[in-house]
Structures are given as C-alpha cells and as structure tokens.
Amino acid sequence: MDFDPVVLARLQFAFTIVFHIIFPSFTIGLSAYLATLGAMWLRTGNDRYQHLMHFWTRIFAVSFAMGVVSGIVLSYQFGTNWSRFSVVVGNVVGPLIGYEVLSAFFLEATFLGVLLFGFKRVPPWLYVLSAAIVAIGTAMSAFWILSANSWMQTPAGHQMSGGVAHSADWLAIVFNPSFPYRFAHMLNAAYLTTGFVVFAVGARYLLAGRHMDEGRTMLRMAIGLTAILAPLQLFLGDQHGLNTLHYQPIKVAAMEAHWDGSKPGDFHIFAWPDEVAGVNRFELSIPKAASLVLTHRMNGLFPGLSSVPASDRPPVKVVFFAFRIMLAIGFFMIAAALFGAFLWWRGTLFETRWYLRIMSHCWWIGFVAVISGWVVTESGRQPWLVQGILRTADATSPVPGATIAGTLALFVLAYGVVFWFGIYYINRLIALGPHKVTAEPGAFSPSPIAAAQDAGREAMQR
Amino acid sequence: MEWYLPLIWAALIGTAVFMYVLLDGFDLGIGILFPSTRSESERDQMTRTIAPYWDGNETWLILGGAGLFVAFPRAYAVIMPALYLPVIVMLLALVFRGVAFEFRHVSYSKTGWNFAFNVGSTLAAFAQGVILGGLIQGVAVRDGAFSGGSFDWATPFAFLCGLSLVGGYALLGATWLVLKTEGPVAHRARGQAKVLLLVVLALMAAVSLWTPLSNPRIAERWFSLPNFYFLWPVPLVTALTAYLAWRWLENGREAPPFLASMALFLLGFIGLVISNFPYLVPPSLTIWDTAAAPASQIFMLLGTLLLLPIVLGYVAFIYWLFRGKVREGESYH
Ligand code: HDD
Ligand code: HEM
Ligand code: HEM
C-alpha cells in the first residue's frame, strides 16, 4: 500500500495536538480556580472553600497527568515527524520552547507535588501559594508555546541566510505581531472553558438536590467569571481577527468564505464553499456584514480567495466551518452567562430549573470551541507551516509513510483508551461530590484520589 | 569563532539527560519492580514513595529533548527520524505509566492499571536503552539528513543496551525503596538490590566489551597508548563502587546503596562520553557540525544560567519537604 507521508504526518500531529489541547484548556483554568478558592479560604476561613479546593484538586490531578503525558509526545513530534522544521527554524523556535521548559514546566511539575500531597506538610499559606504557582506556571507555559506558535503565523525579528532562519531581534521574535492577541484570546478561552465546567457541575448538584451549599458557590463563581469573560472573548476575538486580516488576509478570506475581493464581503451564516468552482452554494448571508466587521465600512473591501492560486489557499471548508462553530459557541456563552447573571440579580437563579438543566449539559462547549479555534488558526495557515518561510510539505522527516501510519494507529488506540478512562474517572469523581471525595478533611489522603476510591467502593457496595 | 558554545551546551544537555536517567530511573524502577509483590497496600506504599516527584522527574526528559532541539537542531533532525520507532514506543509507554499512576487510585479494580504501570515503566526503560544503543552503533547520514531505514536500530547490541537499562533502573528503584520504606517492602528490596547489582554488573561488562569489539573507532579511543594509561581506572572504580554497594547492602545501611547505584550510573555515563565525544550522531556528526546559530545558543544560555539554579533549588526543596520514610498503610501526612 502507498501512504503519503505528508498527509499522515499532518494527521498524526493534528490528532496528538487536539488531544493535548483539551487538557491545557482545562488545567490552566482549573489551577487558577484552585488558587482562587484557596485565597478565599484563607481570607474567610470558611471550610466550604477548602472542601471545594480539595474536590477540584482531585479532578485536577487526573487531567494534569493526561496533559503532561500528551505534551511530552508533542515535544518529540517536532523531531520525529517534522525534522526539516527544526533545521530551518530551530534557531528561532527552539529557544522559545527551551524557555518554556525552564520557566514553566519545572515550576508546575514541582509545585504540583506540594499541591497534591503537601496539605499536611506545609502551612496553609504555602499550600495556597503552591496552587498559585502552579496556576502561574501553566499560564507561563501558554505564554511561551503561544509565542512559538504565533511566530509561525506572523514571523518577525529574524533573518534568512542559507535557507535557515536566524534570530536578529529576540524581543521582536517573542512579541511578534499576532502574539499578544493570540495569548489573550487563548488564556481567556482556557478560563472560559473551565468556567463552564464548574458551571455545569454546580448546576448538576443543584438539580439533584445534593451538595447545595457547594453547588451554589460554584454557580455564583462561574457566573461571575463567565459574564465578564464571555463578552470579553468576543472583543478579543474581533481584535485578533483584524490583526489576522492585516498579516494573513487569505486566512480571513477562508474564514469568511470570501472569494471575490472586488466586492464587499457578506457574512455567511451558512454556506457550502465549493473549492473547485470557487463559489459558495446554499448561501444564507447577511449582506456586507463581514465588510462591516472587518473594515468598519459597509462597502469596505478585503482580499478574496480568488486573488491567490488554488495551491496557495487553505482548505476552505475546514476553516469556514470550524470558525462558525467557535462563533456559535462564543455567542451562546455570552447569552448563557448574561442570562444567568440576570437570574441571579432577580434572585431566582437556583429555582429556574430549565435553565440549570441546560447549563448542566454544557460542560463540553469550551473544549469544542478551543479545538475549533485551533483548527481555524492552523488549517488557515496552510499550505504554510511557517508563514512565508516553510511549507508544510517541505518540513517532513525522511520517514516512510507506513511507519507513520502504524504509529498513528497506535496513538489513536492508546489515546482512545486513556481518554475514555480519564473522562470516566473524572465523571465518577464529580458524581461522588465534594463530601465523599474529601470525606474527612483531616485525613487528606496520599494519593490524589485515594479517598475517592474508598468512597467509591462504599458507593458500589450499597 | 564560538567553538566553546557547543561544548557548554553539550555539557548542559548531558547533565539534563543524566539527571533524567537518575531521577526518572528510580521511579521507572519502582514500576519495573511492581510485580514483585501481590499486596495492594505494599504497592501503594511503593508508589507513595515517588508520588510527589514523578512528574517533576519526567520534566528532565523534556529538557533533554528541548535542549537538543534548541542547541543542536541538526542533530535532533537526524536522531529522531533514525530512532523513530523506539522513540514513539517510549513515549506511548510513558503515557500509559503516567496515567496509570493517577488512574489506579480511582479505579475499583487496580489490576489493569497495575499492569499498565509495570509494562509501561519496563518498556519505557527498554526503549531508552535501545535508543542509546542505536546511537552508539551509529546512524546513516547523507547530506545532513537521516538516510537509513525504519529498523536500522534493531540490532542485538541495541537490545542488550535496552536490557541493561531495565536492570539499571530496577537497581535504582530497589535501592530507593531501601532508603524510603521500612517493613516487608524494604526487606524485599534489599534482597532484590543484591541480585540486581550482580545482573547490572554483568550487563555493564557485556556492553562495555561489545562496544569496542564491534566498533574500531571506540576501541582505538580506549586502547591506544597514551589514552589507556588515563582510562584504565574507569572500570576499576566501577568494580570498587559495586563492591562497596554490596557491603552496604549486607550491613543494613540505607542511604549509601542508593548513592552507590547512582555512582554506577555516573561511571557508565562517563564511559559513554569517553567513547563518543565529540560525536553527537556517531559516526559522522560532531557537536560542532550540528550546533544552532551562536546567537540562539547564547540567548538560551543566559536564561539557562539564570533559571537552572532556581529550578534546582526548588526541586531540592521538594525532596527535602517529603523526606523520611513511607510506611505501609500510612497516608502521607
Ligand atoms: C495554551 C496552552 C498550551 C498549548 C497551546 C500547548 N500546551 Fe503543552 N501544556 C500546557 C499548555 C499548552 C500546560 C498547561 O502547561 C500543560 C497542560 C497540562 C499540563 O500538565 O501542563 C502542558 C503540558 C505539556 C508538556 C508536559 C509538561 C510537563 O511536564 O509539565 C509538554 C512537553 C508540552 N505541553 C508541549 C507542548 C507542545 C510541543 C505544544 C505545541 C505544539 C503544546 N504543548 C501546546
Ligand atoms: C502552540 C502550539 C500549537 C497548537 C496548539 C497547534 C494546534 C494545531 C491544531 C488544532 C491543528 C489541527 C488543524 C487541522 O485539523 O487541520 C494543527 C495542525 C497542524 N499543526 Fe499545529 N499547533 C501548534 C504548533 C505547531 C507547531 C510548532 C507545528 C510545527 C511542527 C505545527 C504544525 C502543524 C501541522 C503540520 C498541522 C497539520 C495541518 C493540517 O492538517 O491542516 N503546529 N495544529
Ligand atoms: C465569540 C466570538 C469569538 C470571535 C470573534 C473569535 C475570533 C477568533 C479568530 C478570528 C481566531 C483566528 C485567529 C487566527 O489565527 O488568525 C480565533 C482563534 C481561536 N479562538 Fe476564537 N473567537 C471567538 C470565541 C472563542 C471562544 C468562545 C473560544 C473558546 C472558549 C475561542 C477559542 C479560540 C482558540 C483556542 C483559537 C486559536 C488560538 C488563537 O489563534 O488565538 N474563541 N478566534
């Protein structure tokens, strides 16, 4: 059989990174939530916060482990599947990743030990501080990895010589043009994602009439957070898009499925982009709305896909639909959070069961939005791996397709098993609830979730 | 001009890899020794000795990989494709053992995850040995890129290296248990450590003889004349260390056997460096051939010199914080 190594390497990378990004989106937000709970516990002395903190720490441990192991795989993929990538841009991207390891990974991984096992060994302030350090560490690793990724989107501060990129100005490399937008948008995305998980868990407890105190606290905290961050995300996304229009106009054209740059752009609520004919089918559009958003004028013009040869266009359908999914979730989040805030203000939040029921099913929406966002960003950059410098097809390793196909199958199998067990265990921890999981706060147990295990046995025997 | 930069970087990466081998070595070793007890509470005791550390330990592996990517991108671009399969096997094995660690605490039946923890640890150690062996025996390179096949690494020598590392990690793990536990676990570990010490010595001897015999370049390095005068103490010190380790195990000492096993690793590592320096990708690419641009090496070096001491500082703090014995059935606190 004949395998195309480029396609397979892309598939393998896309699969492993989509798997990985699920966990950072959650652990970045959750570590910040843990630190917040800890701070509130120290301030108020209220045990409810401490219970909640321990409860979520157990869930954090499971997710963090999956984030770490899937991340290690990624850092080796640069070499295994994209070895030309390290030759051509290693001088520039390498140090960014190196800084990530030194400044962030060690910080998180080391203080995680205190967070998970140190409750009785260290004074409360140091315990809470460790949670904060883990939160800062995760945000810092986002900083560096997004800097590397943004440089691949909008390279700056480098010089090419002999076909290899060399650094000229490190500040310009780290703070390349798309980086501030991408960092803000992604960090906010992680907080939103976690916010909606907490939201859903709180709603689930209230509906079931269990853990009412903790449920109310979670709901209030989640609404307070998301009612601010969800609208903010719309603003950040808009700014991000304007920046992209400036540096990667063809990506924006694909996001909007905008073919003809000599006419103003409509915003397509739905369309089926026909990449062969270069037109959209089944359009349902708001006339000129895309021009209005992107150029702030009804008749403003922006480049269309037809302005470049087909070989220089990204896969339009993928980018277009992924972008719609992210937008739909973004607007839904705004509506849900603001409506929740409204109910809270009216004083009926905890009694409006239909609303709680909807929210209790929304734990996954942030993850889908994050993955869609990355698909937009990464697929929209194609056919380039590093915009204007290195094409994806030129970056692969001298490894035969069959080898990549075999290992890809292994990854799918292995990750499939790990993922479903992970979800299953997290779900079970949530079902057990804060009281069972942290049954005796005094005996905060050695393994992150060993208490849950005993509690779980009990629950099973009943 | 900056001929010394690659040297510094080689030393730094060597240190990172060595730290990884020592630190993750003992916790992989715990996984390798996992089947030696049937008792679930003894297994819990064993995992508790490494629970606060394993995650940080594994970070040294990322530092080694990232360091290679940063400082020697052209070596990275040859080594990874050449050792593609063992690298991926190692990664997948680490995935399973990493999650098994967390999952076995939450599952009703631990059997499956105990198995994953054991097999994952053993396979990861074995794959790392194979990677090492694959490098020592040489990699086919043309025009600065890997030019061999997917299975070039698969030789008896590489498999022997794999076995040696499994044995070595198990030794580290057993002596770690001697240090960190008491009761039946510690008692059994002491016995295991003695057996493993002999096994490791035999394997080390086999690898050390096979390497120069099959590799004229390395034979020349060790046995040509002025060199030999300087180098013969290496095996001697190794034998002495092993003897001391044995004595300490017999005499019921707790920390020294662990230190001695680490010293054995250090000696093996020194031997490797002597055999292969200055090649990063034997037998063709040296550290100077594959170095990144000086500006990149300097930029990263500044950060490393600043941050590495801090990192070492808080890593030491964590080891200090969780010092002391872990008893059976007892919780950490
Ligand atoms: C926005 C954030 C973000 C993004 C885009 C990525 N990661 Fe990640 N990564 C994290 C945020 C993160 C984190 C929050 O720091 C993690 C997640 C869970 C965890 O344990 O740490 C992590 C873990 C993690 C680890 C294990 C670190 C450890 O031991 O703690 C590695 C080696 C990587 N990642 C590497 C990568 C690579 C090579 C990526 C891109 C190709 C990547 N990550 C994308
Ligand atoms: C911040 C880190 C990164 C993230 C979060 C990220 C995310 C993604 C995502 C979500 C996809 C899936 C796109 C799709 O399905 O089409 C993807 C694809 C891809 N990424 Fe990245 N990426 C990152 C960094 C990198 C790096 C450093 C490389 C270079 C080696 C890279 C190369 C690729 C390639 C080749 C594809 C396949 C493209 C395709 O199939 O369309 N990415 N990435
Ligand atoms: C509601 C309005 C939103 C708008 C207008 C918006 C806009 C954008 C744009 C234009 C991009 C592409 C950037 C590029 O590569 O050029 C993007 C990427 C992304 N979006 Fe959104 N977004 C919105 C909501 C969300 C939500 C709710 C989430 C997740 C919770 C999210 C997560 C992401 C992620 C993870 C990326 C990829 C990383 C990046 O490039 O920043 N977005 N978004």
Side-chain angles (χ1 to χ4, degrees):
Chain A
M1 235 201 302
D2 230 14
F3 296 105
D4 178 356
V6 179
V7 171
L8 286 166
R10 286 172 69 176
L11 267 177
Q12 193 180 88
F13 192 86
F15 178 73
T16 48
I17 195 148
V18 163
F19 184 81
H20 175 62
I21 197 66
I22 292 171
F23 303 103
S25 322
F26 189 43
T27 53
I28 294 173
L30 197 51
S31 54
Y33 184 54
L34 291 177
T36 313
L37 286 170
M40 292 173 77
W41 169 51
L42 287 186
R43 263 195 49 172
T44 63
N46 188 333
D47 273 351
R48 188 171 58 215
Y49 294 117
Q50 193 209 344
H51 280 179
L52 275 178
M53 187 180 179
H54 288 169
F55 169 63
W56 284 105
T57 303
R58 304 281 161 86
I59 293 170
F60 181 75
V62 176
S63 336
F64 200 89
M66 291 196 275
V68 170
V69 295
S70 60
I72 294 177
V73 170
L74 283 186
S75 58
Y76 280 82
Q77 289 232 317
F78 292 145
T80 48
N81 286 356
W82 306 105
S83 64
R84 288 282 307 155
F85 174 81
S86 41
V87 174
V88 177
V89 296
N91 283 329
V92 175
V93 174
L96 303 182
I97 300 198
Y99 270 102
E100 168 171 32
V101 180
L102 274 174
S103 66
F105 285 164
F106 276 108
L107 203 63
E108 320 165 13
T110 311
F111 280 92
L112 185 70
V114 182
L115 180 59
L116 298 186
F117 307 101
F119 185 62
K120 282 207 158 170
R121 290 230 169 187
V122 299
W125 65 267
L126 183 53
Y127 182 69
V128 173
L129 181 68
S130 305
I133 291 178
V134 172
I136 293 169
T138 55
M140 248 154 65
S141 69
F143 177 98
W144 288 110
I145 198 79
L146 290 176
S147 174
N149 182 277
S150 299
W151 186 84
M152 293 163 56
Q153 311 280 347
T154 54
H158 64 287
Q159 271 168 348
M160 297 300 290
S161 76
V164 171
H166 289 263
S167 62
D169 176 353
W170 283 108
L171 266 183
I173 290 174
V174 175
F175 294 95
N176 59 75
S178 64
F179 169 63
Y181 300 96
R182 187 164 283 108
F183 181 51
H185 194 62
M186 175 66 212
L187 210 56
N188 201 28
Y191 296 142
L192 272 176
T193 303
T194 311
F196 275 86
V197 175
V198 175
F199 213 140
V201 173
R204 191 166 146 184
Y205 288 152
L206 287 184
L207 283 174
R210 308 161 52 208
H211 319 300
M212 300 295 274
D213 256 5
E214 284 83 0
R216 287 195 197 100
T217 308
M218 283 192 242
L219 219 54
R220 277 193 294 257
M221 288 177 81
I223 289 179
L225 182 85
T226 54
I228 297 168
L229 295 191
L232 178 66
Q233 187 73 335
L234 176 60
F235 171 73
L236 291 173
D238 177 50
Q239 294 299 308
H240 194 355
L242 292 179
N243 178 267
T244 306
L245 179 63
H246 187 75
Y247 291 96
Q248 297 173 298
I250 296 305
K251 184 195 276 186
V252 173
M255 279 153 48
E256 302 296 352
H258 181 54
W259 296 92
D260 182 355
S262 66
K263 298 205 197 91
D266 301 342
F267 182 86
H268 310 300
I269 296 168
F270 183 85
W272 184 256
D274 181 335
E275 295 175 56
V276 181
V279 292
N280 295 330
R281 318 232 175 248
F282 316 113
E283 274 184 13
L284 173 66
S285 318
I286 308 174
K288 304 192 178 172
S291 282
L292 189 63
V293 171
L294 288 165
T295 65
H296 301 290
R297 278 178 295 117
M298 284 302 267
N299 290 315
L301 298 180
F302 59 97
L305 285 162
S306 307
S307 63
V308 294
S311 63
D312 285 350
R313 292 178 206 154
V316 181
K317 279 194 212 66
V318 174
V319 178
F320 177 81
F321 284 111
F323 189 58
R324 300 301 102 165
I325 294 173
M326 174 174 62
L327 285 189
I329 293 178
F331 284 111
F332 174 81
M333 283 180 167
I334 297 177
L338 291 183
F339 188 71
F342 169 73
L343 290 179
W344 185 4
W345 172 72
R346 284 269 309 273
T348 56
L349 174 60
F350 305 125
E351 285 79 52
T352 315
R353 293 184 71 85
W354 64 268
Y355 173 73
L356 294 181
R357 192 156 296 129
I358 295 178
M359 294 319 295
S360 70
H361 290 291
C362 283
W363 59 271
W364 51 272
I365 60 176
F367 298 100
V368 172
V370 166
I371 293 172
S372 317
W374 278 111
V375 169
V376 173
T377 299
E378 297 291 304
S379 304
R381 187 189 53 212
Q382 305 301 324
W384 296 101
L385 184 52
V386 182
Q387 186 82 33
I389 294 180
L390 179 66
R391 282 182 188 253
T392 310
D394 300 331
T396 43
S397 299
V399 175
T403 305
I404 308 180
T407 52
L408 174 60
L410 281 180
F411 273 118
V412 173
L413 205 71
Y415 280 14
V417 171
V418 167
F419 184 78
W420 290 114
F421 273 103
I423 296 272
Y424 170 70
Y425 289 138
I426 288 178
N427 215 12
R428 208 168 63 193
L429 285 170
I430 291 174
L432 288 172
H435 293 298
K436 288 271 182 176
V437 168
T438 53
E440 326 118 74
F444 192 38
S445 101
S447 60
I449 13 207
Q453 158 210 333
D454 303 336
R457 289 233 177 80
E458 245 172 69
M460 286 291 275
Q461 278 154 10
R462 257 192 292 144
Chain B
M1 164 197 121
E2 274 96 352
W3 61 271
Y4 57 88
L5 274 174
L7 271 182
I8 298 176
W9 269 105
L12 277 174
I13 294 171
T15 312
V17 171
F18 185 62
M19 286 294 283
Y20 171 75
V21 167
L22 285 188
L23 296 178
D24 216 28
F26 75 71
D27 68 49
L28 287 169
I30 303 291
I32 297 170
L33 295 175
F34 227 47
S36 66
T37 171
R38 286 270 166 81
S39 148
E40 216 47 75
S41 82
E42 286 185 19
R43 287 196 183 127
D44 283 347
Q45 189 186 359
M46 289 163 77
T47 52
R48 268 201 310 276
T49 63
I50 51 174
Y53 314 120
W54 74 268
D55 196 351
N57 292 350
E58 228 156 65
T59 307
W60 291 96
L61 178 66
I62 309 170
L63 185 62
L68 198 63
F69 179 45
V70 176
F72 303 102
R74 279 184 292 261
Y76 189 71
V78 172
I79 295 174
M80 293 299 154
L83 297 164
Y84 191 92
L85 290 174
V87 167
I88 299 234
V89 166
M90 170 190 83
L91 293 173
L92 281 171
L94 288 176
V95 166
F96 271 103
R97 99 172 253 287
V99 298
F101 204 95
E102 301 297 341
F103 287 179
R104 71 181 285 281
H105 290 300
V106 244
S107 52
Y108 296 130
S109 156
K110 298 187 175 189
T111 323
W113 294 116
N114 285 342
F115 179 73
F117 186 59
N118 169 242
V119 173
S121 306
T122 311
L123 204 59
F126 185 74
Q128 285 169 10
V130 168
I131 291 170
L132 181 69
L135 262 184
I136 298 176
Q137 72 199 3
V139 168
V141 175
R142 194 182 313 126
D143 300 329
F146 173 61
S147 62
S150 291
F151 289 94
D152 281 11
W153 49 270
T155 62
F157 176 73
F159 291 128
L160 180 69
C161 292
L163 277 184
S164 310
L165 215 58
V166 174
Y169 284 174
L171 175 65
L172 280 176
T175 50
W176 169 258
L177 287 177
V178 169
L179 171 66
K180 289 292 279 187
T181 61
E182 50 188 35
V185 171
H187 182 73
R188 189 177 42 245
R190 195 176 286 279
Q192 287 166 341
K194 283 193 215 155
V195 179
L196 285 167
L197 187 61
L198 298 179
V199 172
V200 166
L201 273 183
L203 287 168
M204 261 176 116
V207 172
S208 315
L209 289 178
W210 194 332
T211 309
L213 285 182
S214 64
N215 212 318
R217 170 176 60 82
I218 296 176
E220 159 108 19
R221 172 75 42 100
W222 285 87
F223 300 120
S224 68
L225 255 193
N227 291 3
F228 188 67
Y229 296 132
F230 302 108
L231 296 183
W232 66 265
V234 177
L236 199 71
V237 176
T238 309
L240 191 71
T241 313
Y243 170 73
L244 285 174
W246 181 271
R247 285 284 303 274
W248 285 323
L249 281 169
E250 291 268 292
N251 297 348
R253 306 285 299 271
E254 296 186 333
F258 183 58
L259 297 177
S261 346
M262 295 208 288
L264 282 180
F265 265 87
L266 179 64
L267 287 158
F269 193 72
I270 292 175
L272 263 177
V273 173
I274 294 175
S275 297
N276 291 297
F277 185 82
Y279 291 101
L280 204 52
V281 187
S284 48
L285 300 176
T286 68
I287 57 175
W288 290 283
D289 298 333
T290 53
S296 303
Q297 290 199 332
I298 289 178
F299 176 62
M300 194 60 220
L301 189 60
L302 292 180
T304 308
L305 293 182
L306 185 77
L307 291 170
L308 199 58
I310 302 178
V311 169
L312 285 171
Y314 56 67
V315 169
F317 168 72
I318 297 299
Y319 275 84
W320 174 80
L321 188 68
F322 292 101
R323 68 196 176 281
K325 298 258 186 202
V326 175
R327 289 174 189 83
E328 188 179 354
E330 174 208 55
S331 88
Y332 226 107
H333 315 281

